[in-house]
Amino acid sequence: MGEQSEISGKGSDEQVLDDMIAEADTGARAPIGFSYHVLWVIPLIWSLFQLWYSSPLPTMLRVFILDGNQARSIHLAFAIFLTFLAFPATKRSPRDRIPALDWALALIGAFCAGYLYLFYADLADRPGAPIKQDVIIAAIGIVVLLEATRRALGPPLMVVAIVFLIYTFAGPHMPDVIAHKGASLNKGMSHYWLTTEGVFGIALGVSTSMVFLFVLFGSMLEKAGAGNYFIQVAFALLGHMRGGPAKAAVVSSGMTGLVSGSSIANVVTTGTFTIPLMRKVGFPAEKAGAVEVASSTNGQLTPPIMGAAAFLMVEYVGISYVEVIKHAFLPAIISYIALVYIVHLEAMKADMKGLPRLTERSWMQSLLSFLMTIIGLMVLSGAVYYGLGWIKDVSGEATPFVSTLLLIIAFIGLVKFASGYPDLAMTDDIEVLPEPGPTIKVGLYYLLPVVVLVWCLTVERLSPGLSAFWAAAFMMFVVVAHKPLLAIFRGQGSDMAMRFTEGLTDLFDGLVSGARNMIGIGVATATAGIVVGTITLTGIGQVMVEFIEVISGGHLMLILLFTAVISLILGMGLPTTANYIVVSSLMAPVVVQLGAENGLIVPLIAVHMFVFYFGILADDTPPVGLAAFAAAAISGGDPIRTGIQGFTYDIRTAILPFLFIFNTELLMIGIEGPVHLIMTVVVAVAAMLVFAAATQGFFLTKSRLWESLVLLAVAFIFFRPGYFMDKAYPPLEAVPAAQIYEAAESLSAGAQIQVRVKGLDLNDNEIDKVVMLPVGDAKTGKERMLKAGLELRRDGDKMMVDNVVFGSAAEKQKIDLDWEIAGVLKKADRPAKQWMYIPAILLLGLIILLQRRRREAA
């Protein structure tokens, strides 16, 4: 009887978790009968449509060719239709059937969203001149979209969008500081619904062309069993260490976070295994849940998907997808390494042990195995890179077919290799860790689709959407084929038909779940377009610059704190994607402009990463962090305490955005060679580990207060060595304006020159500011300044602006004719900032010496 109640209790917990994921990600409604089939078929059709649109087939076959605007219209039509079918209106609404009102709203919303596709030619004939029908459809569409947003994502994003709509139409009645002339209903509806400036703007375009395929790819990886494989590998490699299950939780959550678009789903997927095992080795309920929460939310920071924000950065920052991944890589890695270290410190404090292995290995055997693995990966990577490069030279146009054949051969070979080992099966009551070797070998073929994705992105330089299509297409083949092939190689040919049927079922389930995972993202990116549309329609962006400059006094650190708080507050109710769109649209230009006025080069990607990081941190910030509630449901702990503990673990993540604003080397910007790169990585990791030790109050042993303060100072010097160097040696020196050409010519190609300009704006206000201008790679200083957008003339002892090139960096900095170049700032000749590492290392050595003595004495 006791066992039965325990099983039923466990089942009810699993149901609670499933319901939590459904309510947050895929829709809480599970109807029966005809409605069930509709909720299965429509997502399937949506996935097939997205695969068709992203593939080269339409242009090859000249069938159903769509441009970006038409595809966005169809994409949003699917998202709104499924929102009203999958998400109930209220908690009291029926879950087992779909009311007639929801059917009506779904059809109306789908028609309004699809209006741009259905009447595409007519709308193209009357741009900017909507008829009465257009305005009515647009108004209804926005109302229905706001209701869909409320259902799928809760009230916060809907409220934000409504506030911006009110601001648009009530501009003249706003306070003077933010007032504007307002917009008519015709102009507003046309701008928001019938152009690419509002709902159907960049954000929805990215959702349509890139995000869907990556989410689909991750969904099919999960259906194929890759999620379980990642968890098993993490446990096999790390489970024997101190607090091993917690370290495995960090690594497995990081690996599943690579392909997962949801912190909550990540918590439930890995936490079901990891949290009970953390409890077993001694972690309290709240700390076990907090480790999983911190790991899962950080999974959204990890390339290549980054909660869909990576693709939005491509459009908003104007750099390639590979560049975004490069900039995001180091912060994500050092953040995860630090979390593993925090877990190690917690285990040291409590004197925890790891889980036993079947066979114990000496440290020499472990080191040899690690080195052989690294060497094997290097040899394999070299063989793939140069081997396929050779194939391209020999095969020419036949290379895709030859590469596909070789890929299939490699897949079959790895499946045959895996067939010699038993299938992975894990329960949450593991007593002895699996062997690392067999565990890794049984799922190596799961990595092939990831290899395809990375190859297409980095070597072939295909677009993210097309790269994701080829990776997803190969993943579909893997899902269907791996089970029948395993049956054949294991001599179970009689089971092949059943295994093939299972593979097809997994494929269709993956296509359906991928589409349902996209409902919230599709609606969020569309609604966030209202905010972006308001900025372009009303000019509130410039108002925000002036407003924030006033309340911050122009102090960059206050602006960054203000931006971080806004991101956290909005992120508590908005999904990551929507939060990123809203805050980056409002705040990124402000930080860049005011940074330039403070004489600091702030790359746009650094500001966008700053906003993105704080939006992610809201997932475990009490009182709303849903990931903490999911973890608490598994651990049995208090969700608020779990969230608070998770946030304390994430302090290391919260300081990173501030650091890479002031030290852009953390984003791989300004790296001058391999030695510089290695030094940057090593020092950044060391800095984060020292910071983690300082905030945990434990290093080699329990730290005294002054020791923690010294460790914080060491971490700060490691992270920003230029701060103290700047006090002794100013980083910039003033050069007379007459020497501007010489200063520009002395800079390295692609560098930025800091110029102080003075003049009157259109309202006769006196302007005196420092601007950053890229000088390009021309030979002479005069040509370089022209590249930056400035034609200058000498007027006595002064240098004046004679012309500003249209569309140039100078025009974007709002420099005008007849302004004076009041001075030039260039890098001063001073000692390298890396010399500051020496006192920091000496201080760290002192702390290590003192703590080692104390530990040995104890």
Side-chain angles (χ1 to χ4, degrees), residues 762-783:
L762 295 175
N763 298 318
D764 289 333
N765 297 315
E766 184 73 34
I767 304 295
D768 186 345
K769 64 181 181 179
V770 175
V771 297
M772 322 292 298
L773 298 173
V775 295
D777 55 0
K779 290 184 179 179
T780 68
K782 189 172 184 178
E783 290 172 339

Side-chain angles (χ1 to χ4, degrees), residues 374-402:
I374 295 297
I375 292 170
L377 286 174
M378 291 171 65
V379 171
L380 181 61
S381 301
V384 169
Y385 186 85
Y386 292 107
L388 287 180
W390 174 78
I391 291 168
K392 289 177 74 174
D393 294 335
V394 173
S395 305
E397 294 182 358
T399 300
F401 304 102
V402 176

